[in-house]
């Protein structure tokens, strides 16, 4: 089944338009990755150096989303201020997650949260979320609150189109993989102990350095991804609005759980657009276990 037909049958009209716009723009992003990998002199609102492909992806998605007429605002990890519109949804996005991995040809991604309230807002006001992987395949994985579905880009003559790959994705019962960001020496003690125990249980480390790529492996194989609380950086690195809340929404729809160490990520209302939090996301029993270990060491 093609993406358009699936959306027509299964998605509210506005969310269908936003998803189609992202699907089309994602193919252009992928086409341009090899040619726009150079660093710019600018930094984004979190102080990270921007690449030409970060700015290109940002501008392309902003334009595509605004053209649907369905956005009230678009906020992005790459912009200091949201772009305003007259539609119903606030979209928060990381237009190119993992752009420091372009040279090594690791997977990259894009993340979108469709919020029904003005930003910053809690993950509980998400009406849907979507992520794109640019890896060995371009895939769109999304949920509008009724299961997680995945489409893959295929060639249709000269044009790319998206075909259904899986419906109602669920995290496998047996967890196989884990990937934790940052340096091991900087992790808080319960995180170090927990990771040691994962290896003793026979789980494999899989870490590519792109949140979308690393989470996607967890969704396919079961397990846990984290960008943990660090000794000198208690808020971790990943941003709630743009990154962890949309992925937590999809993860919950797939039967998983996402925590900041003490509460569900979907319950956090960030006070700024770029507020980070520690993130532990994946198979529910593992994330609950780690949450208990963290709270018992406080
Ligand atoms: P870039 O977008 O700068 O490549 O950062 C990617 C990222 O925000 C996220 O996708 C990764 O999970 C995390 O950083 C990796 O960080 P470490 O390199 O510190 O493990």
């Amino acid at each position: 089944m093609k993406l358009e037909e699936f959306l027509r049958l299964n998605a509210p009209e506005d969310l269908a338009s936003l998803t189609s716009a992202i699907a089309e723009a994602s193919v252009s992003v992928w086409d341009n990755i090899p040619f726009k990998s150079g660093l710019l002199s600018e930094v984004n609102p979190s102080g990270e150096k921007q690449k030409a492909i970060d700015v290109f992806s940002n501008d392309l998605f902003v334009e595509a989303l605004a053209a649907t007429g369905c956005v009230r605002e678009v906020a992005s990890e790459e912009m200091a201020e949201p772009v305003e519109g007259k539609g119903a949804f606030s979209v928060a996005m990381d237009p190119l997650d993992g752009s420091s991995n372009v040279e090594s040809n690791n997977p990259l991604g894009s993340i979108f949260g469709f919020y029904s309230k003005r930003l910053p807002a809690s993950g509980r006001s998400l009406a849907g979320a979507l992520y794109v992987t640019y890896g060995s395949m371009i895939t769109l994985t999304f949920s509008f609150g009724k299961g997680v579905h995945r489409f893959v880009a295929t060639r249709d003559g000269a044009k790319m189109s998206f075909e259904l790959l899986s419906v109602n994705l669920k995290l496998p019962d047996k967890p196989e993989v884990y990937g934790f960001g940052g340096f091991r020496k900087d992790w808080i003690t319960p995180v170090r102990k927990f990771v040691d125990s994962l290896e003793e249980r026979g789980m494999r480390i899989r870490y590519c350095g792109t949140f979308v790529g690393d989470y996607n492996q967890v969704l396919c194989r079961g397990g846990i991804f984290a960008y943990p609380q660090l000794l000198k950086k208690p808020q971790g690195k990943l941003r709630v609005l743009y990154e962890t809340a949309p992925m937590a929404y999809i993860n919950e729809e797939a039967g998983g759980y996402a925590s900041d160490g003490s509460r569900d990520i979907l319950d956090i209302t960030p006070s700024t657009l770029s507020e980070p939090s520690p993130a532990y996301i994946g198979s529910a029993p593992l994330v609950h276990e780690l949450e208990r270990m963290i709270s018992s060491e406080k």
Side-chain angles (χ1 to χ4, degrees), residues 85-122:
K86 291 197 164 62
F89 285 102
S90 300
V91 182
M93 66 173 179
D94 180 353
L96 197 63
D97 175 46
S99 59
S100 65
N101 294 317
V102 171
E103 287 76 12
S104 52
N105 199 15
N106 281 7
L108 305 179
S110 302
I111 307 173
F112 302 85
F114 308 118
Y115 293 84
S116 56
K117 292 195 175 150
R118 279 230 163 251
L119 302 175
S122 129

Side-chain angles (χ1 to χ4, degrees), residues 97-100 181-182 207 209-211 225 227 237-238 243:
D97 175 46
S99 59
S100 65
Y207 192 72
T210 297
F211 178 29
F225 168 84
Y227 202 102
K237 177 177 184 188
L238 302 181
E243 296 169 299

